[in-house]
Amino acid sequence: MSLPIRNLRRPAALAASIAALFAMAVAPAAADGSDQVVMRFETAKTYVMYNADAGANASNDDFAVPVFVEPSEGGEPARNVRVVVDASGLEGVARLGDSDTCPSEGPIYTCEYGDLQNGDGESYTPLAILGVDGVEPGDSGTVTYTATADNAPTVTGTTRMTVGGPTLTAPGQEKGVSGLAPGKAANVTARLANNTRFPTKQGVALQVNVSEGVTLTALHSNCFYAGPAPTSAWCTFPTKAAAGAAYRTSAPLVYTVTPPGKLTGEVTYTWSSPSARPADHTVRGTGSPLTLVRTAAQNFGDSQGRLGITTTVQADYRPVTATVRGRVGDTVKVRLGLEDLGPGRVQDSEELGRFEVVPPEGTTVTSVPYTFEEDGGTWACDRPEKPGGAFVCEIGYDRFYEVRHEGGTTAIDFHIRIDRQVPGAKGTIRTYNPFDRTPANDVAVIPLDASPAPPYRLFEPSRHPGVWTAGALAVVLLAAVYLRRRRNANPS
């Protein structure tokens, strides 16, 4: 059983490393109730460093060396844990570079793990592995490692590091499927190319994955699946894919959107040789086996095949609107936005959609304030380039993070100034998302209900700046005439 572990450098998934089989190194066992501190490794028994066809261009620094402290009641932490990794056995099959995590002297890497708590673990990726030209698939060497602590017995472990290959490629993005209804099956034929100089001496493996809301429904006897309603399959073929050759599966991979279904989905597949079956793929198919059929050579250059799915499920948006109501001169808050009626839900990875606002004639939008991470700004929506245009409010933006609600209402306050009375004036609000298939409710009006300005506003300089400027000039002129007449009436 794996114990909690803190990754100091999270290993990336390498296609070349899917052949790794995990096994614990031999370590002293602590008796139940013992407070003895016992460490153990949980490392790969075998590990694919890189594919032979990559040669000197290959680079891999993802081989992890996890160290665990066996849990014990009242046990102490393992103190001053140090791991020494000896990679001298890789001579001829790999080069060694400088490690970012563990200092090295030649092929010897030393990792300071520090104190490890009882029942806890920690992992370093000590090796910087570089490829070499001239290797063959299956070439290998052994890495050894030793863990010591001030208060625990020393433990050792080894990993057989192999050169994999050849690299098998797929067509990348396949033609997508649109309008797939929940419960309806569709399929894709998996294709591969071996554009290297090496044949696959140990056959070929196919890994298939489908996204949430999609299920694999054709279960072949040479495939293992992750559960009875699988979203993943691992299939093996004895075919030795020839160098420079291309193949396809003898039957398509069949999948079904699961009711009530998602708006979108995806099927992906990858090829490898050799490959080990994932531990969670335990259900063997009972249908006819898949085989590989040779085709014309293909210049595939992608690591996987990908098929996008759009379903018939919709996410219906309708506008949230309100009346701009107040006196001429008022700046009022009007809450505008959209309501998500479903039944499907747009995910953050998809286009969330937007609403567009054209304010009523006789009004001016002065701001659309928003808050994001305790800060904010004046304009949550993109302003129109010309007067009378639409304010575009993309609800996927961070500016709508605080008010966005999946399966609910996303709305925000527009600050709108009423400039004048315009009888019957109406603005519009329109909603949009690519999965809305009910356009009849996408548009609503924003009525204007403007009352006359109160009398005191007639005397506000800000309301009639031109009039007040002319008045001020008149007063100055009258004052000048008056002073001139006084001087004329009283000569000195």
Side-chain angles (χ1 to χ4, degrees):
M1 180 183 68
S2 296
L3 302 176
I5 183 166
R6 300 192 303 276
N7 284 300
L8 298 188
R9 184 185 183 283
R10 184 184 298 275
L14 279 183
S17 300
I18 59 177
L21 298 174
F22 287 91
M24 291 182 293
V26 177
D32 291 342
S34 170
D35 60 359
Q36 180 184 6
V37 179
V38 175
M39 300 183 298
R40 66 175 174 84
F41 288 112
E42 189 173 288
T43 47
K45 183 178 179 181
T46 61
Y47 183 84
V48 176
M49 298 179 289
Y50 63 95
N51 284 349
D53 50 276
N57 294 322
S59 176
N60 179 0
D61 58 359
D62 294 321
F63 175 67
V65 182
V67 178
F68 295 93
V69 178
E70 296 283 3
S72 61
E73 186 176 350
E76 296 182 1
R79 303 192 184 280
N80 193 27
V81 178
R82 171 182 293 186
V83 175
V84 176
V85 180
D86 184 351
S88 59
L90 299 183
E91 185 176 359
V93 295
R95 295 172 293 135
L96 298 171
D98 294 331
S99 170
D100 292 333
T101 56
C102 302
S104 63
E105 293 186 9
I108 308 299
Y109 295 76
T110 302
C111 305
E112 301 289 347
Y113 282 53
D115 294 347
L116 300 185
Q117 299 302 313
N118 176 35
D120 202 356
E122 203 159 87
S123 180
Y124 277 85
T125 53
L127 301 180
I129 301 172
L130 304 175
V132 295
D133 290 329
V135 292
E136 299 279 337
D139 289 350
S140 63
T142 299
V143 169
T144 62
Y145 29 87
T146 303
T148 59
D150 292 345
N151 59 336
T154 297
V155 292
T156 61
T158 61
T159 296
R160 193 69 177 169
M161 313 287 280
T162 65
V163 176
T167 300
L168 303 179
T169 55
Q173 194 67 53
E174 305 260 19
K175 182 180 179 181
V177 174
S178 61
L180 186 61
K184 184 178 180 181
N187 60 70
V188 59
T189 299
R191 297 176 291 160
L192 76 91
N194 177 11
N195 293 319
T196 76
R197 61 185 181 88
F198 302 106
T200 61
K201 296 180 180 179
Q202 300 182 47
V204 173
L206 170 66
Q207 176 83 50
V208 185
N209 293 287
V210 295
S211 58
E212 183 182 0
V214 183
T215 302
L216 293 169
T217 48
L219 308 183
H220 302 278
S221 59
N222 60 324
C223 301
F224 286 83
Y225 299 85
T231 59
S232 182
W234 181 84
C235 310
T236 57
F237 304 85
T239 303
K240 295 177 174 58
Y247 300 82
R248 63 168 175 83
T249 54
S250 57
L253 308 171
V254 181
Y255 57 89
T256 302
V257 175
T258 308
K262 297 283 186 179
L263 300 172
T264 62
E266 187 177 47
V267 180
T268 60
Y269 63 88
T270 57
W271 301 91
S272 60
S273 177
S275 177
R277 173 160 57 98
D280 60 343
H281 287 54
T282 57
V283 178
R284 185 166 190 166
T286 57
S288 58
L290 283 175
T291 60
L292 292 182
V293 178
R294 189 159 179 170
T295 65
Q298 300 288 338
N299 190 29
F300 297 151
D302 205 296
S303 61
Q304 63 178 353
R306 299 181 300 277
L307 173 78
I309 304 167
T310 302
T311 74
T312 58
V313 180
Q314 76 156 338
D316 184 19
Y317 285 177
R318 72 179 175 192
V320 171
T321 188
T323 299
V324 181
R325 180 178 287 109
R327 293 175 177 268
V328 172
D330 287 350
T331 296
V332 296
K333 295 180 181 179
V334 183
R335 197 154 185 82
L336 303 172
L338 58 83
E339 183 181 3
D340 183 355
L341 301 179
R345 300 295 175 219
V346 185
Q347 304 299 311
D348 285 344
S349 60
E350 298 163 336
E351 184 181 338
L352 295 179
R354 64 181 184 270
F355 62 93
E356 299 178 358
V357 173
V358 177
E361 183 183 356
T363 67
T364 300
V365 177
T366 60
S367 66
V368 188
Y370 67 92
T371 301
F372 177 67
E373 294 183 350
E374 300 181 358
D375 200 355
T378 304
W379 297 101
C381 304
D382 295 334
R383 289 174 283 176
E385 295 182 359
K386 298 179 180 179
F391 290 78
V392 180
C393 307
E394 298 281 356
I395 67 171
Y397 286 179
D398 289 341
R399 290 172 276 180
F400 277 84
Y401 181 79
E402 299 286 344
V403 297
R404 187 169 60 240
H405 299 286
E406 180 181 319
T409 297
T410 296
I412 198 166
D413 286 335
F414 278 64
H415 291 210
I416 301 178
R417 187 182 67 234
I418 303 173
D419 298 323
R420 65 185 189 277
Q421 288 181 287
V422 181
K426 295 177 181 179
T428 59
I429 176 170
R430 180 186 300 272
T431 63
Y432 170 82
N433 80 67
F435 312 104
D436 187 340
R437 311 191 218 290
T438 309
N441 64 351
D442 289 350
V443 182
V445 300
I446 307 170
L448 173 62
D449 182 5
S451 302
Y456 69 84
R457 285 207 172 121
L458 298 175
F459 303 99
E460 292 179 350
S462 60
R463 298 297 304 163
H464 306 284
V467 173
W468 278 87
T469 299
L473 290 174
V475 169
V476 171
L477 180 60
L478 289 173
V481 171
Y482 173 76
L483 291 174
R484 183 175 181 180
R485 287 180 177 177
R486 285 192 57 129
R487 286 197 297 272
N488 292 338
N490 299 288
S492 52

